[in-house]
Amino acid sequence: MSLLRAEGLTKSFGKTHALEGAGITIRAGEVVAVMGPSGSGKSTLLHCLAGILPPDSGTVHYGDRELTAMNDGERSELRRTEFGFVFQFGQLVPELTCLENVALPLRLSGMKRKDAERAARDWLGRLEVDGVADQRPGETSGGQGQRVAVARALVTGPKVIFADEPTGALDSLNGERVMHLLTTAARETGAAVVLVTHEPRVAAYSDREVVVRDGRSRDVEFAR
Amino acid sequence: MNTPGVYTVCIVLPMSIGHALLGLLESGPRHGYDLKRAYDERFGQDRPLHYGQVYSTLSRLLKNGLVTEAGVEAGEGPERKRYAITDAGVTDVERWLSTPEKPEPYLQNTLYAKVVLALLSGRSATEVLDTQRAAHLATMRELTRRKVDGDLADQLICDFALFHLEADLRWLELTAARVDQLAEEVTR
Amino acid sequence: MKRVISDLALGVRLAVGGSRKSWARLALQGVGIGLGVALLLFAASLPSVIDARTDRQAAREIVAEGNGPAPLLAEHQSHAFRSDYATGYYLKALTPDAPVPPGIDRVPGDGEIFLSPALARLLDSPRGELLRPRFPQKVVGTISQAGLQNPNELTFYAGSADIREDDNAVHGWGVARQGGGMHPVLWLLSVVGLVVLLFPVLVFVGVATRLAAAQRDRRLAALRLVGAAASRVRLIASGESLAGALAGLVVGFGIFFGVRPFVDRISINELSAFPSEVMPTPALTLTVIVAVPVLAVVTSLLAMRRTIIEPLGVVRDQKPVRRRVWWRLVPVVAGVALLVSQIGKITQTEKPNQWPVVFGIVLLMLGIPVLLPWLVERVVFLMKGRTPALQLAVRWLQLDSGTAARVVGGVAVVLAGTVTLQMMLAGVEQEVQAKEKKQAAFHYLSVKPRQGADTNGIAAALEKGRGVTALHRVEQAWGQLDSGGYVTLNIAPCAALTKQATIPNCTDGKAYSVRESTGLPAAQAGDVVTFRHSGERWTVPAVEVIEGTGSIPGLLITPAAARGLVPFGTEVFVELDPAVPDAAEHARNAMAGYSWQVYSYFGGQDDTDEAERVFGVVRRALLAGSLLTLLVAAASLLVVALEQVRERRRPLAVMAASGVPRGTLARSLLWQNAVPLAISTAVSLATGIGLGVLVIRVIGAEVAFDWAGIGLITGIVVGLTFAVTALTLPSLRRATGALGLRTE
């Protein structure tokens, strides 16, 4: 059964048509790479799927709920509780320590500070970055920062993790390490991963790929 | 599923000349000499075909029923014979185009020929490329899995293959992005 | 040299930049510094204003001695009208070439009058209706600036044929200037006022030059990274600050000359001045012109030392170095010590050594912005974010508390100064109100006819006055005690005396001594009084000490006890009907015919509450001043907040994308503004109250708190916090909006 399903998405930014009838289906627990040249609309597709951007037309269903029919508050809540996010850079709050960054989503959901930080520390350990728990993001290396970000994405036990070029700012060795940790952890927790990348070696960590070209997606398994 | 082994760097796979000639014939009957010229122009930059190669290939295709003789023009010599593609030949080209090449390094010649021929025959070159990408990625996934589970030697060997396959895929991406430009050029 | 100039020019260009944002920053700096400059220029004009005023005042003093018969007679008179006094001269020229007082072109003839513009306006207005009967003369002209102390002075020169030659001879006008004889306490009050007023201006100029500094720090750090030497970066930074300071000077002079024409509209006489004389002295002007840019450059260089030493410090969000506290405490401790050492040293009569007090106040004020960054850092460091919003705010402040502390440092000084002044005002006001309350029990007009005036005629005229319920005549004499003190003797029957003071069981034959504010009675039995007018001596009989609740000081003596006493003058106490509005003015009008021959003093609840009127104006002025400063400070806080949102666009957008509610982010912004402001408000209230108590102790007055004023200021600060946050929200919305994540 599909976990996340988008149909006929269109989205324009001014005169630029980012999406022109894109569709995609994500099943629970699978790792899907969204590939395509830059400017093809990969990121926009991800933003629409995650409910960050409302599409101009088309629908996105998460399970049996229609994401595109929700208001901003409901979508925020859904993103906070069901989804996790890893971006290329600049996602950690620079003022908070790494531990606090990871604990933040839990605290926003009302968990007590102590419990939240215990869970956060646990995740930092699983991603092998417990050493930087009390440092600020600015004091860590790029690879460590991305792993902290992965920990933050996973800490709430999300059903879907959206990763937009998560290794874009890393060298191959660090990038592959992050990908390995991300996909392993996702598979262990049963989270699906939507992985936007233009790097074939990163995409090779996926179970299957969807190609976006000129705002249209080509879902190899669920064509049209 | 093909399990890639260790590749030897120097291999240059002979491209399927038969399929290439069939593809060229799809746009209309041609003389053998014409065919050689068209082939050399598009694919034979550093290694032009010999006449012998052309005629031996054509006769094989004739024997298999993929081409027919389409009349002889009055003139001097046997090379004035014209060949045309048969329905079986078209099917064969189609099958060839839609079957991804076994993901191996140094595929450019064949892939390039496929893309050009797809464009020449009005088929979707993008589809050729996407099919190929899927095959490449499948191989890369397999290699990645092996790498993750293997020891350092495995990892290094797999990485070597992965980087080469990635180069192919990059080329595919680039080609896919420029397919329209290429189409303009080949059909000019 | 050429490189120095080109580096400075590069700095100026970076400041002006050309983009809308850099212009906005420059404009904000210009307005901020400009306000300070304008205030400084007004302060620099004070010497010329006071100078000119003293000159004019001296020029209209009477020259009483001369050769031969006096060419002119003059009687000085103060007409009380509600809370105002119209003060002037009644003149009688004896010769055609009688000396003409300054401001008018001839000596007025009998029945003629020259009025000051303010008095003319008052008489024309409905408000002056009850004053008109006292000026029945024909108005023949207006007194010009030369004859006025300030534009709002109520004064006149009237001609009167009744003046006798006794002791009112005038040989000329204008005496040599006397040295300033200001009351020491008044003097101290003005010094405190000036320091409190000017110091925040200086601090504020410093803050204004640092507006949007974080952005500039980054820019300069980038210059440093590409290889500019530290000295060159300093030059470039100086250029940037100079641009702001110069803009501020231009704006400041603009404001000064723009406001100057209106200084004669200030309704407090002592503060109003003729626009033409409001001119900063050249030396002080030059000081302002030089000091403001120097201050700007020095503060920005000081603030930039970290950037210059480690360019990466700005680029990377590293934990800043902990601030050290000991040297920050030095000014506060020294200031408090100086002030404490002065308690009790200043009395009403002695000229104080003012410097310890002034230095004490300056040091304490200086201590606030010096101590505040450390305090904000410590408080923020100890704070644990209980909610995610608070945690975000606190962590940001921990990383960069300096910027916020600098901005609120200016606010804190202004607030502390305001609170101090408010307290001093409240103290004085309380005394005035207490006095008025005491007097309110006795609703009367005290009328003192001049020597030789027709006392009986005046009394008869008064009896016909509206609202007059009774008249009491009190005979008076003045004398000196052997101890050196002076004492007033009031002789009247009990019926009259009990109206003027609370005397239990008044009986004829007794004498009463009023307890003075020192706690001692005015005189005791056996004291010997030497009368001034006659030189006779009189021994004080047995007296009963009474509390000084009434209006009459000195000794109250019943006729039977006053045997052998020759009174010198008479005072008529007019009892007034409190139900009749303006009864005092009606009574005064009843004796208007005796114009210069009578002096009257109203004791009782005024219809126009004097305390409310004067203190209301001062309080409003103070409030307006602090509000203005707070507004500018809020503007700079807004700049800091906006810049911070812009700077953190990416993390903010990502947080919004990950489902962090926008409300949480907005609350974190609110906390970010509120925490430093709350700390600085607490500090400034504490400092203001502490300083107020110290200064009031130093001048030996009652400590009073103006809670309403303090509450109002605090309320304004809270309101501004919300306003600044609200203004930041649109940019937060933009950063976290749908397009926030798109990098280009």
Side-chain angles (χ1 to χ4, degrees), chain B residues 36-161:
Chain B
K36 173 194 152 47
R37 270 219 334 249
Y39 182 96
D40 285 352
E41 216 170 79
R42 302 205 187 281
F43 313 118
Q45 279 85 346
D46 25 344
R47 285 179 307 126
L49 285 178
H50 303 296
Y51 283 111
Q53 257 178 311
V54 177
Y55 288 111
S56 63
T57 308
L58 277 173
S59 58
R60 184 166 52 80
L61 295 174
L62 206 57
K63 196 169 73 204
N64 292 343
L66 301 176
V67 295
T68 56
E69 288 183 20
V72 184
E73 263 178 37
E76 324 129 33
E79 64 270 20
R80 298 320 246 172
K81 207 183 275 173
R82 278 155 59 110
Y83 297 89
I85 192 162
T86 62
D87 286 350
V90 171
T91 314
D92 195 53
V93 170
E94 215 154 288
R95 194 185 316 122
W96 176 66
L97 283 178
S98 59
T99 312
E101 295 296 309
K102 191 174 160 194
E104 282 171 77
Y106 309 112
L107 274 178
Q108 303 88 298
N109 286 353
T110 318
L111 279 176
Y112 177 67
K114 277 187 161 183
V115 169
V116 170
L117 286 169
L119 287 171
L120 276 175
S121 57
R123 291 186 178 85
S124 163
T126 313
E127 215 148 294
V128 172
L129 289 167
D130 279 351
T131 311
Q132 189 61 46
R133 179 221 306 271
H136 264 71
L137 262 180
T139 310
M140 287 180 75
R141 268 189 208 108
E142 177 59 27
L143 284 167
T144 302
R145 217 165 292 143
R146 271 176 58 179
K147 175 175 86 172
V148 165
D149 300 334
D151 59 13
L152 186 60
D154 277 342
Q155 281 174 22
L156 289 176
I157 289 165
C158 289
D159 271 338
F160 179 85

Side-chain angles (χ1 to χ4, degrees), chain A residues 13 44 47 52-53 76 79-80 85 87 89-91 93-96 100 107-108 113 136 138-139 152, chain C residues 316-317 319 385-386 391-392 395-396 399 648 650-651 654-661 664 738-739 741-742:
Chain A
F13 301 106
T44 308
H47 292 162
I52 298 171
L53 273 183
S76 275
R79 293 202 296 268
R80 195 166 65 236
F85 292 87
F87 294 96
F89 66 93
Q91 52 202 312
V93 185
E95 298 89 37
L96 300 184
E100 286 166 343
R107 299 201 55 210
L108 284 168
R113 187 188 175 117
R136 287 172 208 277
E139 297 162 334
R152 191 173 76 177
Chain C
R316 292 189 63 135
D317 296 321
K319 219 174 190 166
R386 239 168 250 296
Q391 184 181 45
L392 282 171
R395 285 301 198 196
W396 176 72
L399 212 58
R648 297 198 312 161
R650 178 83 196 169
V654 172
M655 274 195 275
S658 325
V660 176
T664 305
L739 301 181
L741 271 183
R742 290 174 66 86

